Amino acid sequence: MALALREIRRAKARFGLLIAAVGLLMFLILTQQALQSGLITAFVGGLEKQSAPVLVYSVDGQRTLQGSVIPPPLEEAIRAVPEVGEAGRIGQGTYTVQISGDDEESDAAILGAEVPDLGLPDELSTGRLPEAAGEAVGSSADFSVDEEVTVLTADGQEGPVLTVVGLADEAQIQVSPTLFVGWADYEAAARAANPDASAILPSAIGVRPADGVSAEALTAAINEADEQADALTRSEAADEAPGVAEVRSSFQVIFLLFGLVVPLVTGLFFLIITFQKSRSLTLLRAIGAPGALLVRSLLVQVVIVVGGGVILGTALYAPLSRTELGSLALSFDVGTVATWAVLLLVLGCASAVLAARRVLAIDPVEATIAGGAR
């Protein structure tokens, strides 16, 4: 330890620059990780927050509320499955709205649930669930309690007015401000946007399994009952929504590149340092310093460099995690920070293998040769 710290003190600038480089990489990794989580949450957070254990789409809907329509015969077939304990209609659409205090129009996704505990959020950050007509729960990133949201009609006139009485965190759908309402309010919004509609059909059916039936068993039973039904558990509905897999795979390529950069940077640094100080290492070996001691000193330096970089990168990211990028809300995830800290430390230590082998390969006899180690 003393040997490692003494060398770091003698070359503060050199080691400081490496710590800064690792810190910058850690900052970029955490930022990219937060962007991935924020983007996926903005796409399907509302599906994860809604309370139905199972969602049943039509096969033609390709596992999206926007594209799915449940006709009456399919709804009857779903409700008739013996494993179904309770079922309720869920509708979703995007409408032009105007928020109180804001003169500009905007788009908002409105999700309506026939049964409150089969479609409305199961956890609120503040406020309460709707208890009367004209009340709504809003995504916390876009609305405030007591705000009034007016749904505009097809010709731009004022339609139904919804009052936000509760907020849910990370509850957006399709990167849009999202409101959760009762089925009657959803029908009113849909008819305001399309007054010629003869009937308002549900986008999906929220289902709760009967006693003793698991959600997975229920999805299998519904899918077997009717080939037009596409039943998914709540987590599957979020994970398998179109676009989610593509976002994850794109970011995984970025994370892989970051994972390759860290060992390359630290490995080359310590290998170069080992070559530069080969004479002093040879002399240390000649006066009796064991190779294991020198390797431990090297690993201590790796831990200090990577650990310092992790701390620096986390400190840079912490204030950024409390901001919003457009409609994306970033967050500070302790688990993610800890995972990447351990991973970078492991990669950093692994990258020092070549330098360690170089240290162990030093022959103390070289100190007796004119010119020393080469």
Side-chain angles (χ1 to χ4, degrees), residues 47 50-57 78 83-84 86-88 90 117-119 204-210 213-223 230-237:
L47 294 178
Q50 63 82 31
S51 51
V54 173
L55 290 174
V56 187
Y57 302 105
I78 294 168
E83 289 83 358
V84 172
E86 187 178 16
I90 294 176
D117 57 355
L118 288 176
I205 303 295
V207 182
R208 177 176 290 105
V213 179
S214 67
E216 291 74 15
L218 177 58
T219 60
I222 293 174
N223 290 333
D230 187 9
L232 300 168
T233 64
R234 177 166 49 182
S235 60
E236 288 174 341

Side-chain angles (χ1 to χ4, degrees), residues 195-360:
D196 296 330
S198 57
I200 305 301
L201 298 179
S203 305
I205 303 295
V207 182
R208 177 176 290 105
D211 293 341
V213 179
S214 67
E216 291 74 15
L218 177 58
T219 60
I222 293 174
N223 290 333
E224 290 177 3
D226 195 307
E227 62 181 9
Q228 294 301 313
D230 187 9
L232 300 168
T233 64
R234 177 166 49 182
S235 60
E236 288 174 341
D239 291 339
E240 299 182 19
V244 172
E246 289 76 6
V247 170
R248 284 202 175 101
S249 61
S250 298
F251 277 94
Q252 283 172 357
V253 173
I254 297 174
F255 296 144
L256 176 61
L257 294 176
F258 280 133
L260 292 175
V261 168
V262 170
L264 285 175
V265 171
T266 56
L268 286 175
F269 175 83
F270 284 105
L271 185 59
I272 292 172
I273 289 295
T274 301
F275 276 107
Q276 289 179 340
K277 63 180 183 179
S278 58
R279 291 179 181 274
S280 59
L281 290 174
T282 302
L283 183 58
L284 287 171
R285 294 285 283 121
I287 63 176
L293 174 63
L294 300 180
V295 171
R296 283 198 301 270
S297 175
L298 175 66
L299 292 178
V300 167
Q301 291 176 347
V302 172
V303 171
I304 291 174
V305 166
V306 176
V310 167
I311 293 172
L312 176 61
T314 304
L316 291 173
Y317 173 70
L320 180 64
S321 66
R322 294 190 289 269
T323 63
E324 293 183 4
L325 299 179
S327 60
L328 298 182
L330 305 184
S331 61
F332 189 91
D333 188 339
V334 176
T336 298
V337 173
T339 298
W340 276 105
V342 172
L343 181 59
L344 293 186
L345 185 59
V346 171
L347 290 174
C349 291
S351 70
V353 170
L354 289 179
R357 291 184 62 183
R358 170 65 183 169
V359 170
L360 293 174

